[in-house]
Amino acid sequence: MSAPFDWWEARRPPNHTTWADKRKAMIRDELGERATLLHRLGYSSDHAKMRLRAHLHWEYERNPPVPCVDEIDDLVDAVWKRGSSRGGPLSL
């Protein structure tokens, strides 16, 4: 059945992203920020991977499955490869 007006039917744009995609992108961004912080604080990449996995498992322990856990190694390796313009421990 056709609607009487064009605007009556909702049309999604071709580049429409779903809530699940937006949620995964938000989680990836947060993991990247946390990895960058751990790098700036002078932690090793192995320690950062362990901390990020522990954070995700804690965050989603009551609501599995844990999203993006398989992407942590790639995210951390990218941060350590890229480095930081202000690397090293914080100085006050």
Side-chain angles (χ1 to χ4, degrees):
M1 179 175 165
S2 175
F5 305 103
D6 289 344
W7 48 265
W8 198 275
E9 292 181 28
R11 292 188 183 93
R12 291 187 173 162
N15 61 351
H16 174 75
T17 56
T18 63
W19 286 109
D21 294 336
K22 290 180 182 181
R23 179 174 174 251
K24 280 190 94 169
M26 179 200 65
I27 293 168
R28 268 190 229 103
D29 290 344
E30 180 185 353
L31 289 173
E33 290 171 4
R34 287 176 178 268
T36 302
L37 176 64
L38 291 169
H39 182 266
R40 286 182 185 158
L41 291 174
Y43 288 101
S44 70
S45 62
D46 292 334
H47 185 77
K49 291 173 186 178
M50 186 263 315
R51 293 267 309 251
L52 293 176
R53 279 193 188 91
H55 167 72
L56 278 182
H57 286 291
W58 176 81
E59 186 81 25
Y60 293 96
E61 71 180 340
R62 294 173 101 6
N63 191 17
V66 180
C68 302
V69 75
D70 54 341
E71 299 175 30
I72 288 176
D73 289 339
D74 295 335
L75 286 168
V76 170
D77 291 340
V79 168
W80 259 253
K81 182 179 178 183
R82 178 178 67 226
S84 172
S85 60
R86 300 181 314 190
L90 296 175
S91 60
L92 300 176

